[in-house]
Every structure is written in structure tokens, then in C-alpha cells.
Amino acid sequence: MDNSRKLFSGATKTMAVLFLVVVMSFTQSITVEARRTSNYLELATGITNIISPIAPLGIDSEAPEVKAAENAEKSAATESSTQSASESESSNLVMANVSRVMNVREEPNEDSAKVGVLYKDCGGKILDRQDGWTKVQSGDLIGWAKDEYLLFDEDAEALAQDVGKQIVTSNGTALNIRAEASSDAEVVGVLAENTFVDLIEDTGDGWIAVDYNDETGYVQADYVTSTFKIDSGETIAAIKLREEAEKKAALTKNRGAVSADADEVKLLAALIQCEAGNQPYEGKVAVGAVVMNRVKSGGYPSSIYGVIYASGQFTPALNGTVARVYNSGKISDSNYQAAQAAINGETTVGGALHFRRVNGREGIIIGAHVFW
């Protein structure tokens, strides 16, 4: 009897060991699977499916391990259901709710670095939300904006519909824009690849009406892509580039032509040759512009001759060099061209009234000269 009990006990222990081996094998399988997937719902379901069938073999259905797996499954299912409902009820769109501009920051707090701005009517995509802040993507700009300056859901969609527009982009290298919705109609323009125009109407017959130079034109629907466009934010880097371009544009903005006869053009060309004959064309125009800015300023003589020969202003004029060049007639075409451009109002230095050789002074540096 004792022997049979020992045998039975030994067999029981053997079965228990085998059972543990099986469970460990399944557990390893689960672990491998868990490493392969980031989907919590799939992982929780897999655990339940493996453990539940062996519960009748002796594992207590009330055991903490089983309960944990069941709870994980329920939690994941609830989370998935809630997320799906939330996504269906809310929009991923966000719009700026400001009269002018709002800051976008690197982190969700007021002390964080400014990474860009959203202007009035700009919109984007919601990436994350926390503590009264929303992480948005608007064009190249990604950062955190305060919720109090944003619109969400129906409000955002309503504003987007109001300020956005439908655009048509060509998919080919050259798409004809026709006067009528017909391949036989007159070609009024060409839409290059990746360029776009505003959509007016999809006629429904294979043609789309577009706004082309304020006139209605037609393109074949099969060769274009139609998308809805709203304004995007601007990064700090983009703002700096734009401001530099604006400064450069301001420096070359035409300041108005001044009437001048041939002798005055020749005199200014002679001065330019003396002062900047070895400088780039941009620098030659700059010297001419300084003279013309003085003519128009009211603080100097009001004629080209008067400015050039004003006491103490241009050394080549005062030492006779300008007169010699003028009388020799040996003035290069580029200096004539620069003189005429300056007289016509062109400038590369804005309203600068002075220039010197570069000497460390702040100003606009062109070649060997600094202008201010």
C-alpha cells in the first residue's frame, strides 16, 4: 500500500513537472509573441486563449494569473472601443482662433522655446493633447499651442470650410487649360507639373473648371489631383529666411526715376567708374543710388552735378579725376548702365546716403564698400 502511494505520488509529481514544462513552453511562446507585436489588445487576447483551455486541467480559474489576463483583455477591448468611438466623434483638425498670430512652442509650457507661429485662419493636424495644450502639425511646423487660442471639432471644420479652398494640381509635366470643357477647345494656358490652381467646379463629365489668371478654364479630371488646402503655420527658420528676403527686396525697390539729360548720365557714369570701376555691377548701381538718394533727399543739392561736386563729398570729383574721365569719353558700358539704372530709380542699398571703403563700420557691404 505504501509502495502504491509512493508510485502514485511520484507519478503525480512527474505529471506536475510535465505540466509546468508545458505551461513554461506556452509562456515562452507568449513572450516571443509579445516581443513581435506592439498591439496590446492582440497580446491580451493571446494570453487568454492559451491559459483558459488548460484551466480545467488543474489551474484555478480564480488564480491571480488568470484574472489578470481576463482583466487585461477586458481593459484592452474597452480602450479600443472607446478610442474608436472617440475618433469617430471628434476631428483631427485644429484651427488657430486668433485675430493676428499665436506662438507655437517646443514643449507644452509658456517658458519653452518658440518654434514658430500660427497666423489667423491657419490650420493643422492634432498630434497630441495635454494640460490645456495641443501638439499640432501645420505644414513644416510642429509644436505645442495653447488650447484657448485654438478651435476644435465642428468649430474647426466650420472655419476651415470658410477660409480654405479646393485646389487642383497637375499630375503631368504640361497639362493644357482650355477655354471650354472639350479637348477641341482653345488652349488658354498650360499647368506645369506639381503646380496648382483654384478649383471652381467639377463639372462631372470628366472636366474640372479652374481659376486661371482670373478667368475660367477647364482641365481634364484624369490628369489632376484635387485637394482641400488651408493656410499653414511658419517655423522660426522660415520666418528668418523670409525676413532676409524682404530686407533684400527693400534694398532693391525702385525709388522713382529722376529726369536727367545725356550729360548728367555721363557725369554719373564717370563718377561710378572712378569710385567703383573695379567693383561688381551691384556695387556700381549702389554708388549711383547714393547720388540719386541725395538728389531726392532734400538735405543735399537737388541735381546730380550739385551732389557730385558738393564740397567734401566725392574725392575723385574734387581732385579732377571725374572731369578727366568725363572728357576722355572712356567710360565702360557697365558704368553707363549702372548710372542709367540709378537715375531710373533702381537701388541695391535702399535709401543709403553714404559709402566708404569697408572699415568695420556697420552697413550694407557690397564688394569693397560699405553703404549706410
Side-chain angles (χ1 to χ4, degrees):
M1 191 67 171
D2 291 338
N3 289 336
S4 62
R5 284 178 179 173
K6 290 180 181 179
L7 288 173
F8 178 78
S9 176
T12 301
K13 290 180 181 179
T14 302
M15 290 179 66
V17 171
L18 290 172
F19 173 75
L20 287 173
V21 170
V22 171
V23 172
M24 289 176 64
S25 176
F26 277 118
T27 304
Q28 290 174 351
S29 175
I30 296 167
T31 303
V32 172
E33 186 63 24
R35 290 171 182 163
R36 293 176 179 172
T37 177
S38 61
N39 189 315
Y40 182 69
L41 178 59
E42 289 180 2
L43 177 58
T45 303
I47 292 172
T48 305
N49 287 343
I50 293 173
I51 293 181
S52 296
I54 59 175
L57 296 178
I59 294 181
D60 185 357
S61 61
E62 297 298 319
E65 295 83 0
V66 177
K67 286 296 183 183
E70 290 175 349
N71 291 336
E73 181 181 22
K74 291 176 182 178
S75 176
T78 302
E79 181 180 347
S80 177
S81 175
T82 303
Q83 184 178 3
S84 298
S86 175
E87 289 176 351
S88 63
E89 293 172 4
S90 64
S91 169
N92 200 31
L93 175 70
V94 63
M95 296 290 293
N97 184 26
V98 291
S99 59
R100 295 186 63 186
V101 64
M102 65 177 292
N103 293 327
V104 177
R105 301 190 178 277
E106 188 174 19
E107 300 294 339
N109 63 75
E110 292 280 10
D111 297 326
S112 181
K114 181 177 170 182
V115 294
V117 297
L118 288 174
Y119 299 101
K120 177 179 171 63
D121 298 336
C122 282
K125 180 173 64 174
I126 298 172
L127 299 180
D128 194 6
R129 298 188 69 179
Q130 59 176 270
D131 301 328
W133 291 77
T134 296
K135 189 174 186 179
V136 302
Q137 178 178 355
S138 181
D140 294 330
L141 174 63
I142 296 178
W144 292 88
K146 292 194 75 171
D147 288 355
E148 62 186 284
Y149 303 118
L150 299 172
L151 292 177
F152 302 93
D153 301 325
E154 293 87 354
D155 293 334
E157 291 172 8
L159 180 58
Q161 289 295 329
D162 185 42
V163 301
K165 58 185 177 182
Q166 202 78 17
I167 62 171
V168 171
T169 306
S170 172
N171 297 332
T173 55
L175 177 63
N176 289 330
I177 302 175
R178 299 188 179 272
E180 303 290 340
S182 169
S183 56
D184 297 325
E186 175 191 359
V187 175
V188 296
V190 176
L191 195 60
E193 187 175 14
N194 294 327
T195 58
F196 60 85
V197 290
D198 291 348
L199 181 147
I200 297 177
E201 178 189 11
D202 187 339
T203 62
D205 58 358
W207 290 85
I208 293 177
V210 299
D211 182 349
Y212 182 71
N213 295 337
D214 294 327
E215 299 289 340
T216 300
Y218 296 85
V219 294
Q220 290 182 283
D222 290 342
Y223 303 110
V224 297
T225 300
S226 175
T227 53
F228 186 75
K229 177 178 174 61
I230 53 177
D231 290 344
S232 298
E234 197 172 23
T235 64
I236 293 298
I239 291 172
K240 289 181 179 178
L241 288 175
R242 174 176 55 75
E243 289 177 345
E244 287 299 319
E246 289 173 354
K247 287 179 182 178
K248 187 173 183 179
L251 293 177
T252 59
K253 183 178 180 180
N254 192 296
R255 298 179 59 82
V258 171
S259 177
D261 59 27
D263 285 338
E264 290 175 307
V265 175
K266 183 178 179 180
L267 178 60
L268 183 56
L271 175 70
I272 291 172
Q273 182 157 309
C274 293
E275 292 280 15
N278 63 347
Q279 297 300 300
Y281 179 73
E282 184 183 9
K284 295 179 179 182
V285 173
V287 169
V290 166
V291 173
M292 300 314 300
N293 288 340
R294 291 187 178 192
V295 170
K296 292 179 278 190
S297 73
Y300 296 85
S302 58
S303 69
I304 294 173
Y305 182 92
V307 166
I308 289 177
Y309 282 101
S311 176
Q313 298 303 312
F314 299 98
T315 300
L318 300 178
N319 65 18
T321 305
V322 170
R324 286 194 295 272
V325 171
Y326 178 92
N327 291 324
S328 73
K330 296 179 180 179
I331 303 173
S332 71
D333 290 342
S334 64
N335 293 320
Y336 264 115
Q337 183 181 350
Q340 189 63 64
I343 289 169
N344 290 344
E346 294 182 28
T347 176
T348 55
V349 288
L353 296 171
H354 309 273
F355 72 93
R356 293 284 186 275
R357 299 287 296 182
V358 174
N359 59 2
R361 181 189 178 92
E362 290 187 0
I364 304 162
I365 297 177
I366 303 176
H369 292 139
V370 57
F371 298 81
W372 72 97

